[in-house]
Amino acid sequence: MHSLLDAPGRDRLTALTAADVPALAAGTAIFGTGGGGAVHTSQMVAEHALRERGPVPLVSVDDLGPQDQVILLSGIGAPTVGIEMLSAAHQVETLVRESERVLGRPVTTLMAAEIGGSNGVGPVGWASRLGLKLLDADGMGRAFPDAAMVSMNVAGLPCEFAVLSDVVGNVSVLRTVDLHWLERHARALTIASGSICLGAHYPMTAETVRGAVVEGTVSAAVRVGHALLSSPDPVRAVAAELGGSILLTGKITDLDRRTEGGFSRGSVTISGTGEDRGRLQRLELQNENLVVLEDGEVVVSVPDNVTVIDSETGHAITTEMLRFGQRVCVLAWAADPIWRSARGLELAGPQAFGYDLPYTPFEGGTR
């Protein structure tokens, strides 16, 4: 399967240390497309774990052997709640041990369900604490708000089970008929737990993982983070690394955001400044940035990627951290090819989110 931002001559990381985490966090925040949760807490936890327990081996799909068992880990719920409700100390260990009990074999390798936001950083610290490997891949190549919106589902790989754990210590094992039912049940349990949980699902082997994941995304996030942190012009550096476009530079002049149904929903209006004075864009949100509209026309829509970044620092601003008056840039880049397939658009195109809009692939270079 396509490796995100893969290119000849680019070295792939083989291990992650505490020194890599700031770049990883900055990059995953960009890939979060507004969601995935704020990275600050996950960054601190991961750095502490790596300093205390040592580097995490970062392996590719080709490195996996017959003895390896991969499982996805992620947070689920409303990012606005995740800022205040932190995970419990033994929550992840509980998830993995319960997964091993159901599987009947040990887990050797963790994978991020989504490379975006805190869900892209968290598995690094978790792998270090548990002494496990981390797969250089994820299930989205970005962040999406729905459990069904994963590359494994696009590829037709069934999910055997899922395990959820909350901060109180409740553990639930779910065996649903498909991922849409998993989303319903997991969301209901998450709401009952205060709208935030940790989950493990999609156990995979070296055989089943091949062709079902978006490869190289951990390395890609680190590269994007380094581009952001090392450049005197971070906005353009990030856009160039992604092959994306700066759609608008402006300030937030209106914000409608609410937490309902376990999601952060709403819209944000950005008024152009400088060369973009007189222009106005509205972004529709559901945890992530879904659609960009200007003059009544769709500029970009899911599954293509849209991230709001600070116009000076280049750092991503998650939807729960958007504030009136912030000076921002709207950055967009093309989705991984798997999401532009018929099945990918069925699961994560505009109509999957309730928008009666045709999908037009976004293509563009840095402005």
Side-chain angles (χ1 to χ4, degrees), residues 36 96 133 160 204 243 248 258 318 334 352:
V96 174
K133 298 180 288 188
E160 297 176 36
M204 294 181 287
L248 184 76
R258 57 203 178 276
T318 53

Side-chain angles (χ1 to χ4, degrees), residues 23-58:
L24 174 67
T28 60
I30 297 291
F31 283 125
T33 58
V39 299
H40 305 91
T41 301
S42 293
Q43 178 178 342
M44 289 188 291
V45 171
E47 287 177 335
H48 176 75
L50 288 164
R51 291 192 185 103
E52 189 177 68
R53 306 291 179 89
V56 169
L58 186 64

Side-chain angles (χ1 to χ4, degrees), residues 67-117:
Q67 78 286 355
D68 283 310
Q69 177 68 58
V70 181
I71 198 162
L72 278 67
L73 290 185
S74 67
I76 178 174
T80 44
V81 177
I83 294 175
E84 298 182 1
M85 187 183 292
L86 304 181
S87 60
H90 302 293
Q91 202 170 345
V92 175
E93 184 175 359
T94 299
L95 279 177
V96 174
R97 298 301 169 241
E98 182 63 19
S99 299
E100 291 177 331
R101 187 191 68 79
V102 177
L103 280 165
R105 61 183 294 190
V107 169
T108 66
T109 309
L110 302 185
M111 187 180 96
E114 58 185 3
I115 194 61

